[in-house]
Amino acid sequence: QVHLVESGGGVVQPGRSLRLSCAASGFSFTIYALHWVRQAPGKGLEWVAVISHDGTITDYADSVKGRFTISRDNSKNTVFLQMNSLKNEDTAVYFCATDGWSFRQTFPEYWGQGTLVTVSS
Amino acid sequence: DIVLTQSPGILSLSPGEKATLSCRASQTVRDGSLAWYQQKPAQAPRLLIFGASNRATGIPDRFSGSGSGTDFTLTLSRVEPEDFAVYYCQQYAASPYTFGQGTKLEIK
């Protein structure tokens, strides 16, 4: 059974940094890409970033490019999202999700329950 | 970027009725690379459909997806009480992998 647990959320001031983690279990972590998707309070879903199964390919939404970095540690079945220069509009629940196909970057399939990031002074 | 526009914004139906949700793309979504998700309050999204028409594991057959190019549809043949939720489409043909704004299916 696929299990994803996000952590690292909290309240942070604008301009500061935060690092999210997502611990995975129940599937072959090393052959699947991982996504981060966020949802601002009361709003819709926004895709944030994806990392390939081996970490060699990353891609980002324009709204976070140059500020956020996605990475993974396949020895620990964990994916990270380093968020720098945070803005008020980054306030959201951040979900990690597995990709639906092995060795490709496509659609998020299994999702964690999310971690809330609040950017406020 | 590919912009996805969902309609209607809100769909009010009674249990047992048929639901038709639309997702229109601003440009062709190649290879039918479109997914549908269901989200209930305070829950993570759940994958329903991928590849425009393929049901995900464990999804009841009352859910079906269709379409190609720029026009896609999610159909619920008979709405059950547990189906009232928000539905999102997402394209994964081209980065950024954009979502539609959602359609809320509510009880009439």
Side-chain angles (χ1 to χ4, degrees):
Chain A
Q1 179 144 352
V2 176
H3 197 47
L4 300 167
V5 179
E6 302 92 338
S7 61
V11 180
V12 61
Q13 293 179 326
R16 303 298 290 266
S17 299
L18 206 60
R19 189 194 199 202
L20 305 183
S21 300
C22 173
S25 60
F27 66 104
S28 299
F29 184 82
T30 59
I31 67 172
Y32 286 94
L34 274 294
H35 300 259
W36 285 98
V37 177
R38 69 184 180 183
Q39 187 168 37
K43 302 298 183 182
L45 301 171
E46 180 186 14
W47 176 81
V48 172
V50 66
I51 186 166
S52 62
H53 69 288
D54 58 1
T56 58
I57 299 171
T58 59
D59 204 357
Y60 301 90
D62 290 343
S63 57
V64 307
K65 200 171 292 184
R67 299 189 299 122
F68 289 12
T69 301
I70 188 172
S71 61
R72 64 190 294 162
D73 184 340
N74 281 356
S75 69
K76 297 182 179 178
N77 284 13
T78 303
V79 63
F80 305 98
L81 187 67
Q82 177 68 42
M83 304 185 295
N84 298 333
S85 303
L86 282 161
K87 305 176 181 180
N88 293 104
E89 52 265 39
D90 294 320
T91 293
V93 173
Y94 285 74
F95 298 98
C96 70
T98 68
D99 198 274
W101 289 103
S102 58
F103 303 111
R104 293 172 58 184
Q105 299 85 55
T106 59
F107 54 90
E109 183 173 15
Y110 296 103
W111 299 60
Q113 286 305 302
T115 187
L116 176 62
V117 173
T118 303
V119 183
S120 174
S121 54
Chain B
D1 298 2
I2 298 177
V3 176
L4 299 179
T5 302
Q6 293 186 240
S7 62
I10 301 174
L11 183 58
S12 299
L13 295 172
S14 300
E17 291 191 290
K18 179 180 179 179
T20 303
L21 287 68
S22 173
C23 177
R24 179 163 291 179
S26 61
Q27 54 189 282
T28 295
V29 177
R30 62 175 174 78
D31 302 326
S33 299
L34 189 113
W36 289 93
Y37 299 87
Q38 177 194 69
Q39 189 180 30
K40 297 179 181 179
Q43 293 187 18
R46 177 174 70 148
L47 176 69
L48 300 173
I49 300 286
F50 63 94
S53 61
N54 301 285
R55 271 188 301 276
T57 302
I59 301 304
D61 61 7
R62 65 179 180 274
F63 290 90
S64 64
S66 62
S68 64
T70 60
D71 289 301
F72 298 87
T73 300
L74 175 69
T75 302
L76 287 71
S77 59
R78 296 173 313 279
V79 177
E80 298 288 338
E82 62 268 29
D83 298 336
F84 292 99
V86 179
Y87 292 83
Y88 296 94
C89 57
Q90 185 208 18
Q91 67 80 22
Y92 50 96
S95 178
Y97 301 151
T98 45
F99 286 90
Q101 83 280 17
T103 289
K104 182 178 181 180
L105 177 58
E106 66 175 26
I107 300 175
K108 186 174 182 178

